[in-house]
């Protein structure tokens, strides 16, 4: 999005055309300061990090007071009207200050005219005050919905974020928003407005709430912040380094003049330094240089809008072992025959094009393990510390990971279990058995390097007697009261498990939520054993959706229709529809009704679903059962059974083994074929 150069609105005239005195503008700024700071905070680039964005938002508002220029007509010569207070919509002082805040926030990353074009925008030089030393500021952490909206905003440009704030927070009309953006220098204000509306609808679908209420939460309030100290050890090291540098400079000032003459005399006798071997200075060579590995600062995860693998610090006791890191990179670039290589589906195994990020290097269960991330993939290299075992190289696709799908990585796997490296934002770790929903979670020990104790895997041999999962809780520095489940399906990244409850009478469409509550655990107890069919297929997340409930004929009880959707890292998903009959065991799997691969069904891009199956009542009679999601108003059966039913469910007598074709009518007027 292009932002045109536009002069700063310095005229003392409000948006509603009234002359504004400096006193009126100051009164509006003070009265509506939190509102203005929130507007600036949302518009400013999330790439600043939360601490710098908080300070920049306050600085942007504090600089918005118009300058007093004597000798100009901007200052009223007649007696001034007392500063107006009240609603911002009728306050010309507020309109003027808001326009200046918007202009400055949008221009934050714009280069001044005198700044060299080859250098990045000098954001660090824009604001001197307020300044903070020794503390980091963080807005109050919100819930999972607020975090999801923050991630959506981080992918939008500044004009789109500004348009969303003006429409949802300021309550401006489309025309008013377009005018303000244009006056602030946005070249394509209409496009920004349309993009913001689409973003608001998307955020509402993903979170199940309105974007306005989320933007008013503490997650986006830079006036209510938490404080944490800066990196104390690094601060101490920098202090010592400064003293050492000063001492070296002082010593050099004394000794260099005396050594200059002697150095000239010995210049010819000194032998040239020759490298031991050829140096690869190409881009590929730089990518494989251990010294160039990227390393995130220890606390970056708490001060960034990207809560994913890019904010993981390097951990382990061998992060400085260049020999080990060099071997890992060399094997990645060209594995020999004895190296055992594995990769999840559609995951490239080519060498990195740029220096990857180091996540871990250390000893785990008798092996030296290195975990690397190149933005699209996580790569695990492991070599035995003793013996003649072959090295192992594992690849997993992890693009667009988030707070849940980047919460842990398998660092070591043994028969019957695995050990994980936890994300730095995981505050609590526990394990529980999906097949025992009433049994509380048990704490999981995590070492100082972030590696857990061994976690048992699901029981093998097809028995499915237990299904252990990790129950994790995020730090309140990034999201409040956010616990979630992940499970091991054989890949490096564990799979996120979610739950969508059944539709309520007259209630809006339900959204997936974390599977940690009682109903979710009871439901997953009957779906856990189906997870075994997803092993090694590159699954990112699995949602368990109870999309319909149906009263069975002949007082047969109440059955539930479930669509379990597995989303993969490469994009396509697969669904399994089950009919869960009453009276069976609390952990008994449902009856398989349909299974479809490469489909959008049961996702937010395919929210309507219909399925049917034959069922035998206690009397021995057979029925055709069918059920659809909440927006289905009519079901029709043709072929082996001809019948219709109003509403989202159907139950009609049918011959044993009858093969019927089902089609539903939607409330919007379209039709939907049944999954088979």
């Amino acid at each position: 999005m292009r932002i045109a150069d536009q002069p700063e609105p310095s005229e003392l005239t409000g948006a509603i055309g009234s002359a504004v005195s400096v006193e009126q503008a100051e009164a509006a700024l003070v009265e509506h300061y939190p509102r203005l700071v929130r507007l600036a905070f949302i518009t400013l680039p999330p790439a600043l990090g939360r601490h710098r964005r908080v300070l920049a938002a306050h600085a942007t508002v504090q600089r918005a007071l118009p300058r007093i220029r004597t000798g100009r007509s901007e200052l009223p010569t007649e007696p001034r009207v007392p500063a107006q207070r009240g609603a911002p919509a009728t306050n010309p002082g507020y309109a003027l200050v808001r326009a200046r805040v918007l202009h400055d926030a949008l221009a934050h990353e714009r280069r001044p005219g005198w700044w060299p074009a080859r250098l990045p925008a000098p954001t660090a030089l824009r604001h001197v005050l307020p300044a903070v030393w020794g503390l980091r500021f963080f807005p109050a952490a919100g819930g999972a919905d607020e975090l999801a909206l923050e991630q959506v905003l981080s992918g939008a440009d500044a004009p789109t974020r500004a348009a969303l704030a003006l429409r949802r927070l300021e309550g401006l009309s489309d025309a008013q928003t377009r005018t303000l953006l244009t006056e602030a220098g946005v070249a394509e204000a209409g496009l920004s407005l349309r993009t913001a509306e689409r973003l608001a609808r998307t955020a509402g679908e993903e979170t199940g709430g309105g974007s306005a209420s989320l933007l008013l939460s503490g997650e986006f309030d830079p006036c209510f912040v938490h404080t944490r100290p800066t990196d104390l050890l690094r601060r101490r090291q920098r202090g010592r380094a400064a003293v050492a540098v000063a001492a070296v400079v002082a010593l050099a000032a004394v000794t260099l003049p005396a050594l200059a003459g002697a150095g000239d005399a010995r210049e010819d006798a000194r032998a040239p330094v020759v490298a031991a071997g050829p140096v690869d200075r190409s881009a590929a060579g730089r990518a494989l240089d251990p010294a160039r590995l990227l390393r995130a600062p220890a606390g970056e995860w708490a001060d960034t809008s990207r809560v994913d693998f890019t904010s993981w610090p390097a951990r382990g006791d061998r992060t400085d072992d260049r020999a080990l890191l060099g071997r890992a990179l060399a094997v990645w670039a060209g594995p020999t025959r004895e190296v055992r290589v594995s990769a999840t589906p559609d995951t490239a195994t080519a060498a990195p094009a740029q220096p990857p990020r180091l996540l871990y290097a250390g000893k785990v269960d008798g092996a030296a393990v290195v975990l690397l991330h190149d933005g699209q993939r996580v790569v695990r290299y492991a070599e035995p510390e003793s013996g003649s075992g072959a090295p192992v190289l594992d690849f997993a696709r992890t693009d667009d990971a988030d707070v849940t799908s980047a919460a842990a990585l398998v660092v070591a796997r043994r028969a019957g279990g695995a050990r994980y490296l936890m994300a730095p934002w995981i505050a609590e770790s526990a394990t529980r058995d999906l097949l025992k929903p009433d049994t509380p979670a048990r704490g999981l020990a995590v070492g100082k390097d972030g590696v857990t104790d061994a976690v048992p895997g699901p029981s093998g041999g097809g028995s499915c007697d237990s299904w252990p999962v990790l129950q994790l809780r995020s730090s309140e520095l990034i999201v409040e009261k956010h616990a979630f489940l992940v499970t091991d399906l054989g890949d490096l990244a564990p799979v996120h498990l979610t739950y969508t409850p059944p539709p309520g009478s007259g209630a809006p469409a339900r959204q997936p939520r974390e599977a940690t509550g009682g109903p979710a655990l009871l439901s997953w107890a009957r779906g856990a054993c189906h997870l075994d069919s997803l092993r090694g297929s590159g699954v990112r997340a699995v949602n368990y959706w109870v999309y319909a409930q149906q009263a069975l004929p002949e007082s047969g009880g109440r059955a539930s229709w479930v669509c379990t959707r597995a989303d993969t890292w490469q994009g396509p998903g697969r669904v399994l529809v089950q009919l869960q009959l009453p009276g069976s065991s609390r952990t008994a799997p449902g009856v398989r009704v349909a299974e479809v691969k490469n489909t959008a069904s049961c996702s937010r891009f395919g929210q309507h679903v219909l399925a049917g199956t034959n069922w035998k009542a206690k009397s021995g009679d057979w029925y055709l059962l069918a059920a659809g999601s909440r927006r289905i108003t009519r079901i029709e059966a043709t072929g082996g059974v001809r019948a219709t039913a109003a509403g989202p469910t159907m139950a009609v007598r049918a011959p044993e083994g009858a093969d019927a074709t089902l089609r539903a009518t939607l409330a919007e007027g379209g039709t939907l074929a049944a999954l088979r």
Side-chain angles (χ1 to χ4, degrees):
M1 179 65 65
R2 185 170 62 87
I3 301 178
D5 290 332
Q6 190 81 2
E8 187 176 356
S10 58
E11 297 84 357
L12 293 181
T13 303
I16 60 177
S18 303
V20 180
S21 69
V22 176
E23 286 78 6
Q24 286 176 302
E26 181 183 22
L29 188 152
V30 172
E31 180 181 1
H32 301 290
Y33 185 81
R35 184 173 186 151
L36 292 166
V37 175
R38 190 187 293 264
L39 172 63
F41 183 80
I42 294 171
T43 305
L44 287 166
L48 289 174
R50 292 194 289 176
H51 172 77
R52 290 175 59 200
R53 190 152 55 126
V54 166
L55 295 179
H58 284 274
T60 299
V61 175
Q62 291 174 17
R63 292 179 68 252
L65 195 65
R67 298 180 181 89
I68 301 177
R69 299 181 183 177
T70 57
R72 297 282 303 272
S73 60
E74 295 169 345
L75 284 177
T77 56
E78 300 177 1
R80 296 184 177 93
V81 178
Q84 289 181 279
R85 301 176 63 88
T90 61
N91 190 334
Y94 177 79
L96 172 64
V97 174
R98 179 179 60 193
R100 293 174 62 87
V101 167
L102 187 65
H103 177 278
D104 201 12
L106 286 170
H108 188 82
E109 294 178 307
R110 191 189 307 160
R111 296 179 180 87
W114 52 268
W115 192 257
R118 66 181 181 274
L119 298 179
T123 56
L125 303 179
R126 286 195 172 276
H127 307 300
V128 178
L129 295 176
V132 177
W133 288 272
L135 286 176
R136 307 288 291 177
F137 285 164
F138 306 97
D145 292 347
E146 288 83 353
L147 180 62
L149 178 59
E150 170 70 9
Q151 291 176 333
V152 170
L153 290 175
S154 67
D157 57 23
T160 298
R161 294 192 299 270
L164 181 66
L166 292 174
R167 287 286 288 118
R168 291 297 190 265
L169 293 182
E170 294 293 295
L172 300 184
S173 65
D174 287 353
Q176 291 171 322
T177 300
R178 194 179 299 108
T179 299
L180 263 180
L181 291 176
T182 302
E183 292 176 349
V186 177
E188 298 173 323
L191 177 60
S192 299
L193 183 59
R194 292 191 297 273
T195 305
E197 289 300 316
R198 186 167 61 250
L199 184 149
R201 289 193 298 271
T202 301
E205 291 174 359
E206 292 184 347
T207 63
S211 56
S213 61
L214 296 179
L215 290 174
L216 287 170
S217 66
E219 180 88 10
F220 302 97
D221 184 3
C223 290
F224 181 74
V225 296
H226 297 291
T227 61
R228 294 290 187 278
T230 54
D231 192 329
L232 300 178
L233 290 178
R234 181 178 298 177
R235 199 163 70 192
R236 182 181 301 171
Q237 291 168 356
R238 286 175 177 173
R240 292 172 178 171
V243 173
V245 169
V248 170
V249 170
L251 181 62
V254 175
T255 57
L256 283 179
L259 295 176
D264 293 339
R266 292 193 298 268
E267 185 67 28
D268 295 336
R270 190 168 54 200
V273 177
V274 181
V279 178
D280 186 356
R281 301 187 183 278
S282 65
R286 291 193 297 270
L288 301 177
D289 183 357
R292 295 179 179 269
L293 287 173
L294 304 180
R295 301 170 186 245
E300 182 174 302
W301 61 270
D303 190 25
T304 178
S305 60
R306 290 195 60 180
V307 188
D308 56 19
F309 291 114
T310 61
S311 59
W312 278 38
R315 288 171 289 177
D317 57 5
R318 300 184 66 176
T319 55
D320 295 325
D321 187 340
R322 291 200 176 182
L324 171 62
L325 300 178
R327 290 194 298 273
L329 291 167
V331 171
W332 182 355
T336 57
R337 288 185 177 182
E338 61 268 18
V339 177
R340 292 179 294 165
V341 180
S342 68
T344 55
D346 291 336
T347 302
T349 59
Q354 301 292 334
R357 184 177 303 276
L358 178 62
L359 304 181
Y360 181 85
K363 179 180 178 181
V364 184
D365 292 342
V369 178
V370 179
L371 288 175
L372 301 166
H373 178 251
D374 71 346
Q376 300 292 321
R377 303 165 292 174
V378 165
V379 179
R380 175 182 175 271
Y381 170 80
E383 62 180 28
E385 292 222 315
S386 60
S388 58
V392 176
L393 192 65
D394 300 320
F395 294 85
R397 187 169 171 175
T398 57
D399 47 319
D400 295 326
D402 56 23
V403 65
T404 55
S405 52
L409 288 172
V410 173
V411 69
R413 195 187 299 279
R414 290 289 183 268
R419 298 178 70 181
Y420 298 88
L421 177 65
M422 288 297 167
W425 58 82
I426 297 302
E428 291 182 6
S429 305
T431 62
R432 70 179 314 134
D433 189 347
L434 278 186
L435 298 181
K436 298 178 181 178
D438 296 330
T439 302
R442 296 186 299 175
L444 175 63
V446 181
K448 293 181 179 179
D449 59 353
V451 177
T452 70
D453 286 352
V455 178
S459 55
S463 59
C464 194
D465 296 326
S466 65
W467 197 280
V469 296
L470 295 176
Q471 181 168 305
L472 309 177
R473 186 180 66 80
S474 303
S475 167
E476 293 189 355
L477 287 177
I478 59 170
V479 59
E480 187 178 30
K481 298 179 181 178
H482 181 223
F484 55 96
L485 300 183
V486 295
T487 189
D488 180 18
L489 290 184
D491 298 325
L492 288 179
V495 177
H496 182 207
L497 302 181
T498 57
Y499 166 73
T500 304
S505 177
R510 303 295 184 95
Q511 300 293 325
R513 59 197 62 187
E514 301 303 347
T516 53
L521 293 172
L522 289 172
S523 295
W524 264 113
R526 302 193 64 174
C529 293
H530 286 304
L531 291 171
D532 194 58
S533 63
L534 302 174
R535 283 186 174 278
S537 56
V539 174
R540 171 179 181 153
V542 182
N543 182 52
Y544 189 96
W545 177 26
V546 183
Y547 72 84
Q549 293 181 316
Q550 180 179 23
L552 298 176
E554 302 183 15
S555 302
R558 192 167 183 82
S560 295
W561 292 81
V562 177
C563 184
T564 305
R565 177 178 176 84
D567 286 306
T568 60
W569 286 99
Q570 61 265 35
R574 56 189 290 187
V575 299
L576 170 66
V577 178
Q578 309 167 56
L579 174 62
Q580 293 184 345
L581 299 171
S584 54
S585 167
R586 295 175 65 189
T587 59
V591 178
R592 288 176 180 256
V593 174
E595 190 167 3
V596 183
K597 296 182 179 180
N598 299 329
T599 178
S601 296
C602 304
S603 72
R604 67 186 183 95
F605 301 108
Q607 300 180 8
H608 309 302
V609 60
L610 172 68
T613 189
N614 296 320
W615 172 75
K616 185 178 181 180
K618 292 181 180 180
S619 65
D621 292 336
W622 283 88
Y623 290 82
L624 171 64
L625 303 180
S629 48
R630 62 191 300 272
R631 299 296 292 173
I632 288 177
T633 59
R634 184 175 181 270
I635 300 176
E636 180 182 6
T638 58
V641 179
R642 306 188 70 85
T644 60
T649 61
M650 168 187 279
V652 295
R653 291 182 185 275
E656 180 180 356
D659 186 14
T661 300
L662 297 172
R663 182 166 290 274
T665 302
L666 301 173
E668 295 82 3
T671 60
L672 178 71
L675 298 178
R676 298 177 67 91

